[in-house]
Amino acid sequence: MDILIVGAGIAGLRALYSLRGAGFDVRVAEASDELGGVWNHNRYPGARCDVESYDYSYSFSSELEQEWTWTERYPRQPEILSYLNHVADRFDLRKDITFNARATSADYDEEAARWNVAFEDGSRLSCRRLILCLGQLSAPKTPDYPGQERFRGETIVSAQWPRREIDFRGKRVGIIGTGSSGMQMTPVIAEVAERVTVFQRTANYSVPAANAPLTDEEIHEVKANYAARREMTRNSPTGLGFQPGKVRTLDVDPQEREKVFEAAYNRYGFGFALAYPDILLDPEANAVASEFLRRKIGERVNDPEVRAKLLPVTHGFGTRRPTVDSGYYEAFNRGNVELADIRATPIVEFTETGIRTAEKDYPLDFIIYATGFDALTGALLKPRITGRHGLTLKEKWARGPITQLGLGTAGFPNLLIVGGPGSPTVLSNVMVSTELQVDWLTDLMKTLRAEGIEEIEVSPEAEQAWNAHVAERVSETLYMTADSFYNGGEVKGKPRVFMPYSGGVRHYRRLLETCATGGYSGFELRKTPLARTEEVRDAR
Ligand code: NAP
């Protein structure tokens, strides 16, 4: 096999399509029995994407763009999963995917310049190049409270949602976590449950989704102008279908600013951060935007005590991933939703019948962990990946990930990563950044084939320089003022290092082009693998 792709989510499917189209002998190994990655696993009630459906779709086929019709502005999880299945069927991708194949280790054979990959069921595969498409937010993390095993009700992880129907009617449901997942599921579960208790550690900023069914006119407008829209997203900082404002927040008089904020709030979802270009750069601008949002959140909650607890005060807007919700705050105006502020009164333990906080006991039938992910590196470090001289990726990245353009790391030849740390990934519309990377990788693979390159490896100098650039760009922003899944600060023991590239999709795209036109600068391309060169043999 020329190429093994691990993971059949958005990135893996796209990579399979492109690389097979370029004539490579390529296969995908997928741990699940279904494709779709996070959209296969996150089946919780209310799960939907907070990027607009028509932008959260592949751009590689205009026939696909015209054939597929999204029904809502922000698509639900089942619709996205149907879309990905449609893509797989439409382009006959399934025949090259092995399901139920969880990679547990990958070892680089330096002499052969090949990867040997082992799977949970004991099977093995050998490939020339290994492409990891494991997802950015795909390794769920769950809390560790005393007595968890005692709880006699059902415990569910939002990112490993069971496929069976779960009947919350008449049940008491505890939801731990108030990120996108917790906020999305709360109002939906509250519609049927007897009681929902939201256990909040950190109040987060959320902007209403302004979701709606797409009208025929909107669909026509998007389909008629798809090429231009795609070009705009590729040239935007975030891969979203709108550009940031041009004037600085504080250069505008307060009345005008209020109008701009109001318009962005009512239309853009988390693109609210782009209302002005300096909201994530200038602390004062950020304070003004954060205050606007606190006011808006306050207006949505009736009870003054609950309102006060829901107002985010620990960090500035956007420094942690904000959310886009459909009726989250209003859910607290129902009689059956309560807020447990576990920052003020922490969870002490789980009991047989529920959760005990420092304040009181909450009797529960279900406990849902909407507690997020070991982001960006979690899934990449799960299999034991061993490169040159027996060094594992976990050892190499012990003080934080280090990459060249997010695509690879020195000491791990012929290993490439899509959506990894060091790339725009979670700071972008991942559809756009994924497609950019996959197109680039496909060209790279064609070059390697044409030039008879057996081994490609990131140079240590290049990755040092790239990490310095990633750090420099983030130092211009406010991202490091909060602990978040962007910097690992919210995972115990994880190095606090900003992982995604904050320089924007457009700039990243240019850097990819420069790298390619410079003969893949920062990568060493070898016709003879290093281990087989005379210098290395002599040195041995
Ligand atoms: P998240 O944003 O990381 O939120 C996790 C929540 O769990 C936070 O409120 C966190 O509190 C809380 N938490 C974590 N550990 C806890 C503990 N031990 N005890 C109590 N609370 C704990 O995770 P998420 O909601 O799953 O979303 C993650 C990301 O996935 C999103 O930002 C987004 O990128 C993606 N996502 C997207 C969509 C979508 O619409 N496209 C939907 C779902 C998810 P602290 O804040 O105090 O750490």
Side-chain angles (χ1 to χ4, degrees), residues 3-4 8 69 123 194 204 231 242 248 253 326 417 435 461 506 528:
I3 302 169
L4 176 67
T69 300
S123 59
E194 179 188 306
N204 203 357
E231 205 41 36
F242 38 82
R248 285 155 35 130
D253 80 66
S326 300
I417 302 168
E435 290 203 294
E461 299 75 28
R506 180 183 43 206
T528 305

Side-chain angles (χ1 to χ4, degrees), residues 17 56 61 63 154 158 173 204 209 287 332 337 381 403 420 440-441:
Y17 170 81
Y56 199 78
S61 157
E63 290 82 13
E154 185 170 352
S158 65
V173 183
N204 203 357
F332 292 93
V337 179
L381 297 181
T403 70
W440 187 92
L441 280 177

Side-chain angles (χ1 to χ4, degrees), residues 96-133:
D96 292 317
I97 305 174
T98 306
F99 291 97
N100 300 306
R102 181 178 296 282
T104 50
S105 70
D107 293 278
Y108 189 62
D109 178 335
E110 294 187 52
E111 281 287 324
R114 294 180 72 84
W115 283 95
N116 295 316
V117 183
F119 295 89
E120 206 167 49
D121 66 359
S123 59
R124 304 184 75 85
L125 280 174
S126 158
C127 57
R128 168 70 68 210
R129 330 263 184 216
L130 179 62
I131 303 187
L132 301 179
C133 295

Side-chain angles (χ1 to χ4, degrees), residues 235-446:
N235 281 309
S236 75
T238 54
L240 298 174
F242 38 82
Q243 296 286 344
K246 301 247 182 299
V247 233
R248 285 155 35 130
T249 312
L250 300 178
D251 288 350
V252 181
D253 80 66
Q255 276 173 338
E256 172 60 17
R257 190 163 61 222
E258 181 74 11
K259 273 195 226 151
V260 171
F261 275 158
E262 191 72 42
Y265 177 82
N266 289 321
R267 179 71 181 105
Y268 283 162
F270 62 60
F272 176 82
L274 301 178
Y276 291 103
D278 55 353
I279 290 178
L280 282 168
L281 306 177
D282 173 11
E284 284 182 53
N286 187 272
V288 173
S290 301
E291 189 47 42
F292 173 88
L293 288 175
R294 276 192 289 271
R295 183 152 42 86
K296 286 301 198 187
I297 292 169
E299 286 167 10
R300 297 171 65 185
V301 186
N302 297 342
D303 183 303
E305 265 182 49
V306 180
R307 185 190 306 143
K309 290 177 187 164
L310 285 168
L311 297 183
V313 289
T314 54
H315 60 286
F317 167 71
T319 56
R320 315 178 89 211
R321 169 71 146 73
T323 71
V324 178
D325 72 280
S326 300
Y328 173 67
Y329 295 106
E330 290 78 3
F332 292 93
N333 300 333
R334 303 171 60 104
N336 67 337
V337 179
E338 66 185 330
L339 186 69
D341 178 356
I342 55 170
R343 184 173 290 258
T345 51
I347 294 177
V348 175
E349 60 177 348
F350 283 31
T351 65
E352 288 186 353
T353 55
I355 289 181
R356 176 170 299 147
T357 69
E359 184 191 19
K360 63 177 191 175
D361 276 5
Y362 291 89
L364 300 166
D365 301 303
F366 285 92
I367 296 177
I368 300 174
Y369 297 145
T371 42
F373 302 87
D374 181 357
L376 289 152
T377 52
L380 291 170
L381 297 181
K382 256 191 190 169
R384 186 182 164 83
I385 299 177
T386 310
R388 275 192 202 294
H389 313 308
L391 184 74
T392 65
L393 192 59
K394 202 170 192 166
E395 288 160 351
K396 164 109 201 252
W397 286 2
R399 283 187 287 154
I402 174 160
T403 70
Q404 158 66 339
L405 291 163
L407 293 159
T409 188
F412 295 78
N414 289 346
L415 176 80
L416 295 145
I417 302 168
V418 180
S423 75
T425 171
V426 289
L427 298 182
S428 67
N429 171 359
V430 290
M431 274 286 182
V432 175
S433 47
T434 295
E435 290 203 294
L436 281 180
Q437 287 192 316
V438 170
D439 286 339
W440 187 92
L441 280 177
T442 306
D443 286 344
L444 168 69
M445 292 297 152
K446 288 198 250 179

